[in-house]
Amino acid sequence: MRNVMKKMVLPMAALALLEDLANGAIRRERVFREREDLLANDDNWLKPISNISKSYILLEICTELGPGLERQTARSHALPVPIQVLTTLGFLATGSFQRELADRHIRFPYDAVNQAHIKAQFAEIAGFPNVIGAIDCTHIAIKAPSEGEYAYVNRKHFHSLNVQIICDAQMRLTNIVARWPGSTHDSFVLLTNSSVGNRLEPGSV
């Protein structure tokens, strides 16, 4: 009987482990994306982010502030000093953390090579040809604004922004438009007021 119980324990333990993995009870190892070497780029990207026109100035700032910003941690990957400095400068220059930095990572594939690659991936997933992105709009709830409040009330009767999002076959974001009130129709955002819609409509892509 003991031998039978021993034989049953191992499969049950394996099943319990698989169930825990499926339910997220066991934490998976975090995967960190390789960080881009911002100082290896040319100087053109600096101006809109921080109002600094030369990368050597940024390098001097990082060298000066580095000892106070560098952090040793055994728990995760600490933010490199250039990213900390650029994030701060970008916010001071524009009042936004996301906009200018997102422009470097969220880009729609207008070139033929990337489009062909994405089309092949979508075709492999669903057998649907010539797809260069999956698009939808979603409503992000906000507090009622003090001006033009009625324009932000969506069809579900709460205040929101109607945010257009496009992703590729790997679910990486390639375009975000997040400036239209909740009452705005999805088609209005795409066809009239987004750079992607403006370039796709005349067939220029």
Side-chain angles (χ1 to χ4, degrees):
M1 184 65 177
R2 289 182 179 178
N3 290 336
V4 173
M5 291 298 294
K6 286 181 180 178
K7 291 179 180 179
M8 292 177 64
V9 167
L10 289 177
M12 291 299 291
L15 287 174
L17 177 60
L18 290 174
E19 185 177 2
D20 287 342
L21 285 171
N23 295 331
I26 297 179
R27 294 182 60 184
R28 292 182 173 87
E29 182 180 355
R30 293 181 64 185
V31 177
F32 294 93
R33 184 177 63 184
E34 290 187 12
R35 291 199 172 103
E36 183 179 359
D37 184 2
L38 299 175
L39 298 179
N41 292 281
D42 57 36
D43 293 339
N44 295 332
W45 62 278
L46 274 174
K47 187 67 174 177
I49 293 179
S50 59
N51 286 335
I52 294 177
S53 58
K54 297 296 182 182
S55 58
Y56 70 83
I57 299 176
L58 175 62
L59 186 59
E60 288 182 8
I61 295 173
C62 292
T63 302
E64 183 72 22
L65 299 179
L69 295 177
E70 291 174 346
R71 293 175 176 84
Q72 297 297 326
T73 173
R75 297 186 61 190
S76 62
H77 292 193
L79 280 177
V81 171
I83 292 181
Q84 295 182 58
V85 171
L86 275 173
T87 301
T88 303
L89 291 175
F91 178 77
L92 294 175
T94 67
S96 168
F97 282 112
Q98 293 88 8
R99 186 179 62 195
E100 278 69 28
L101 295 178
D103 286 343
R104 297 180 50 73
H105 298 284
I106 302 177
R107 293 183 176 178
F108 193 79
Y110 290 115
D111 60 290
V113 174
N114 278 327
Q115 285 189 9
H117 181 63
I118 293 173
K119 286 178 182 180
Q121 290 179 325
F122 272 115
E124 184 178 350
I125 292 172
F128 200 88
N130 295 323
V131 177
I132 56 175
I135 183 173
D136 200 3
C137 286
T138 185
H139 287 274
I140 307 299
I142 61 171
K143 292 182 178 180
S146 57
E147 297 182 5
E149 174 268 340
Y150 63 90
Y152 291 85
V153 179
N154 61 36
R155 65 182 184 277
K156 295 185 178 179
H157 309 295
F158 65 87
H159 297 89
S160 69
L161 290 176
N162 192 7
V163 180
Q164 174 185 284
I165 300 175
I166 303 176
C167 71
D168 63 14
Q170 302 298 315
M171 292 187 288
R172 291 177 296 222
L173 300 181
T174 58
N175 180 260
I176 297 177
V177 180
R179 61 177 178 271
W180 293 100
S183 64
T184 307
H185 195 276
D186 293 1
S187 61
F188 175 84
V189 179
L190 173 63
L191 299 178
T192 312
N193 294 282
S194 76
S195 59
V196 173
N198 291 335
R199 292 186 64 169
L200 289 177
E201 183 67 18
S204 60
V205 197

